[in-house]
């Protein structure tokens, strides 16, 4: 039975969904400007074999909207707090998309005692040297109105991509209209920290890792190759379709790849 839990860590409230299941624990981590809601279908597809947890990262969803600390270390500490609170004494599979993949990788690097396996969907560790990248994302989110009149208004302004469906489903109902569950300046500060390169942690990573990339994802071939060149034990899977949000627009293939890797005889034997 699905249960909602709120954990307090200092000034930050962390919203967690426990989908349940009797197997080893899996924690799913969403990307920038998303929330755990968009990963519920993935959670349901794993719940027959795992105990699945989802969390809204700080600044997102139903967790604290405007935390003071938006460092990568703060995000790592949040995940550690969730794991130690809800799956004490167990090693967890971490599955993250985009920024969530980056968070998951840093948790695995910092706390190998807590992480059994790592799956990164459309995630990378190289960062982005262009200071305009984070600013551009901030400007994009700042261009949204404070509230949308209704869902059709939101779709008219934001378009018809799969991620837009997720954004619209996550809008908060207020007396003034439908409000996004994040603030543009918080998103810009959050992604700016993600854009710092973290190769040292990547090369020292111990957890068995699957890197999944979509056909129309955001990374070039050379960027994908560099992950394996710098850490050859990494497994890689390339989806035949999908965008950067392949968990939404290439769902069946994503789940097939994810389940096949996690539940292969070798991987099943390693889970504990």
């Amino acid at each position: 039975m699905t249960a909602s839990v709120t954990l307090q860590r200092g000034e930050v409230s962390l919203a967690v969904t426990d989908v349940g299941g009797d197997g080893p624990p899996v924690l799913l981590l969403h990307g920038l400007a998303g929330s755990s809601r968009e990963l519920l279908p993935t959670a349901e597809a794993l719940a027959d074999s795992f105990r699945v947890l989802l969390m809204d990262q700080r600044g997102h969803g139903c967790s604290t909207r405007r935390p003071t600390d938006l460092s990568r270390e703060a995000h790592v500490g949040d995940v550690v707090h969730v794991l130690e609170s809800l799956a004490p004494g167990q090693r967890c599979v971490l599955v993250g998309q985009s920024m969530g993949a980056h968070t998951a990788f840093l948790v695995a690097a910092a706390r190998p005692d807590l992480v059994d396996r790592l799956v990164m969907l459309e995630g990378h560790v190289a960062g982005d040297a262009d200071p305009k990248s984070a600013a551009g994302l901030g400007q994009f989110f700042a261009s949204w109105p404070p509230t949308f009149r209704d869902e059709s208004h939101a779709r008219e302004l934001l378009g018809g991509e799969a991620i837009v469906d997720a954004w619209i489903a996550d809008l908060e109902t207020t007396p003034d209209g439908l409000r996004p569950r994040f603030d543009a300046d918080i998103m810009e500060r959050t992604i700016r920290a993600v854009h710092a390169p973290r190769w040292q942690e990547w090369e020292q990573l111990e957890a068995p890792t699957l890197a999944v990339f979509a056909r129309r994802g955001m990374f070039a071939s050379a960027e994908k190759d560099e992950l394996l060149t710098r850490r050859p034990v990494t497994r890689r899977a390339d989806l035949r379709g999908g965008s950067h949000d392949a968990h939404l627009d290439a769902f069946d293939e994503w789940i097939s790849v994810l389940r096949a890797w996690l539940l292969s005889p070798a991987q099943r034997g390693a889970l504990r």
Side-chain angles (χ1 to χ4, degrees):
M1 180 179 296
T2 299
S4 297
V5 180
T6 300
L7 299 177
Q8 197 69 29
R9 180 172 178 259
E11 65 162 0
V12 174
S13 296
L14 300 170
V16 182
T17 300
D18 187 344
V19 177
D22 296 327
V26 174
L27 177 63
L28 307 183
L29 295 168
H30 62 82
L32 186 77
S35 80
S36 57
R37 180 193 297 266
E38 70 192 59
L39 286 167
L40 277 171
T42 296
E44 292 164 357
L46 296 177
D48 63 339
S49 303
F50 300 92
R51 178 196 175 197
V52 188
L53 303 168
L54 309 95
M55 64 177 286
D56 291 340
Q57 296 185 77
R58 58 175 57 205
H60 295 76
C62 294
S63 291
T64 296
R65 186 180 182 103
R66 298 190 61 83
T68 302
D69 189 351
L70 292 168
S71 67
R72 294 280 74 208
E73 291 71 22
H75 285 80
V76 167
D78 291 343
V79 173
V80 169
H81 184 63
V82 169
L83 296 181
E84 292 182 334
S85 298
L86 299 181
Q90 297 178 276
R91 298 179 72 191
C92 183
V93 177
L94 295 182
V95 180
Q97 184 263 341
S98 191
M99 181 197 78
H102 194 271
T103 304
F105 139 68
L106 289 177
V107 173
R111 291 295 305 271
D113 59 307
L114 296 179
V115 180
D116 191 271
R117 291 287 183 274
L118 171 66
V119 181
M120 300 170 64
L121 172 61
E122 280 289 306
H124 212 285
V125 308
D128 191 330
D130 184 356
K132 295 181 180 179
S133 296
L137 281 169
Q139 290 166 7
F140 168 66
F141 292 123
S143 72
W144 295 14
T147 58
F148 300 97
R149 292 191 304 273
D150 50 31
E151 291 187 5
S152 62
H153 179 220
R155 193 170 300 283
E156 176 185 345
L157 294 180
L158 300 179
E161 298 178 349
I163 190 59
V164 173
D165 292 335
W167 284 334
I168 290 175
D170 211 33
L171 292 172
E172 177 185 9
T173 301
T174 75
D176 298 321
L178 300 177
R179 183 177 76 148
R181 291 187 183 272
F182 56 82
D183 292 328
D185 63 317
I186 297 295
M187 297 301 97
E188 180 176 343
R189 289 172 54 201
T190 298
I191 202 63
R192 193 176 299 280
V194 174
H195 284 172
R198 307 299 289 252
W199 286 116
Q200 181 176 355
E201 292 96 327
W202 175 250
E203 292 166 359
Q204 296 174 352
L205 185 65
E206 297 178 8
T209 301
L210 175 67
V212 184
F213 296 102
R215 183 177 181 181
R216 301 186 309 280
M218 67 179 295
F219 299 107
S221 294
E223 293 173 308
K224 300 174 189 178
D225 292 342
E226 189 174 12
L227 275 183
L228 273 70
T229 299
R230 289 185 178 246
R231 187 176 181 271
V233 295
T234 305
R235 294 289 301 276
R236 172 177 162 182
D238 293 282
L239 304 182
R240 295 185 300 274
S243 69
H244 185 60
D245 300 294
H247 61 300
L248 301 174
D249 58 21
F251 177 77
D252 289 343
E253 189 179 8
W254 154 240
I255 292 300
S256 177
V257 167
L258 178 62
R259 285 183 59 87
W261 191 71
L262 290 180
L263 296 175
S264 69
Q267 300 303 324
R268 183 189 295 274
L271 292 168
R272 42 190 178 275

